[in-house]
């Protein structure tokens, strides 16, 4: 059975693609509408504004990552198994959604304050899942080192916007997983 995409999901997907390519300020509501086959003003039936669309996009992906991290933490009591699951989960996200990484990196500042604070709070909670797993696995002597390690791991996995266009996911995934795993294990020798 084919997966159906709602108009709202279609708009979010096309907006992410356009924002990643041209930047938030380089894309108009009319341009987003044209990409999904409707007039620009028709988008206001789904989103209150272009900023509202961006907010839903970035809050939504932050909620997705946190929920995925929490789900894996609930499934894996062993911290080493949890780290493997987190690496696989985040790598899969990064390979499937490289445009969202670009938009997050470049356009977070364009969010209204309330939405930006929400995204940052969700991101901090996601990072803390990684921090806890790294400390419990004995890979980092404390939370500060673990936090640096988690952010470095994200840097590796989130490198996909620079490679996704010319590297197949089945080639990139094992490389990113192995490099992230090795980088996290290198935390032991860094302290």
């Amino acid at each position: 059975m084919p997966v159906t995409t709602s108009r709202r999901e279609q708009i979010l997907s096309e907006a992410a693609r356009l924002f990643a390519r041209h930047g938030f300020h380089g894309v108009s509501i009319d341009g987003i509408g044209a990409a999904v086959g409707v007039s620009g003003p028709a988008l206001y039936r789904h989103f209150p504004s272009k900023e509202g669309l961006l907010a839903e996009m970035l809050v939504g992906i932050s909620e997705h990552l946190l929920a995925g991290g929490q789900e894996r933490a609930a499934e894996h009591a062993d911290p080493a198994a949890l780290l493997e699951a987190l690496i696989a989960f985040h790598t899969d996200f990064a390979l499937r959604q490289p445009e969202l990484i670009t938009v997050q990196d470049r356009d977070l500042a364009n969010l209204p304050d309330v939405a930006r604070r929400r995204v940052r709070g969700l991101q901090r909670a996601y990072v803390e899942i990684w921090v806890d797993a790294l400390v419990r696995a004995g890979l980092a002597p404390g939370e500060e080192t673990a936090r640096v390690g988690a952010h470095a791991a994200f840097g590796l996995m989130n490198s996909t916007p620079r490679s996704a266009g010319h590297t197949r996911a089945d080639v990139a995934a094992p490389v990113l997983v192995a490099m992230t795993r090795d980088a996290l294990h290198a935390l032991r020798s860094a302290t």
Side-chain angles (χ1 to χ4, degrees):
M1 180 184 297
V3 175
T4 58
T5 303
S6 73
R7 174 63 79 183
R8 188 177 195 80
E9 291 167 332
Q10 183 185 19
I11 293 166
L12 285 166
S13 177
E14 282 301 310
R17 185 183 64 77
L18 292 169
F19 291 163
R21 182 175 294 156
H22 305 290
F24 178 76
H25 293 296
V27 177
S28 68
I29 284 290
D30 288 334
I32 298 167
V36 296
V38 300
S39 70
L43 295 182
Y44 294 121
R45 282 184 252 159
H46 301 279
F47 302 95
S49 63
K50 189 168 82 164
E51 290 80 7
L53 191 158
L54 179 66
E56 185 165 327
M57 180 187 301
L58 296 183
V59 168
I61 199 57
S62 298
E63 289 172 341
H64 168 75
L65 287 171
L66 177 57
Q70 290 170 330
E71 183 178 307
R72 278 140 190 91
E75 292 171 356
H76 301 282
D78 174 62
L82 173 56
L83 283 171
E84 288 297 317
L86 288 169
I87 292 167
F89 166 69
H90 195 100
T91 299
D92 182 65
F93 155 73
L95 289 168
R96 290 178 190 271
Q97 307 279 336
E99 55 284 327
L100 286 174
I101 293 168
T102 299
V103 174
Q104 161 72 32
D105 188 45
R106 187 176 50 211
D107 293 316
L108 180 65
N110 292 312
L111 285 179
D113 287 342
V114 171
R116 188 171 47 252
R117 282 192 300 274
R118 174 88 174 123
V119 167
R120 287 297 191 203
L122 292 163
Q123 290 173 335
R124 280 190 297 276
Y126 181 58
V127 169
E128 292 310 307
I129 294 168
W130 286 75
V131 167
D132 179 65
L134 286 165
V135 171
R136 288 190 307 114
L139 296 179
E143 291 181 1
E144 188 175 17
T145 302
R147 204 166 283 109
V148 171
H151 284 286
F154 298 150
L156 276 167
M157 294 178 290
N158 291 348
S159 67
T160 55
R162 287 163 283 291
S163 64
H166 52 79
T167 305
R168 293 187 337 258
D170 65 321
V171 172
V175 171
L176 290 171
V177 166
M179 290 184 73
T180 302
R181 181 186 306 118
D182 289 349
L184 291 173
H185 283 270
L187 280 172
R188 283 185 180 145
S189 63
T191 56

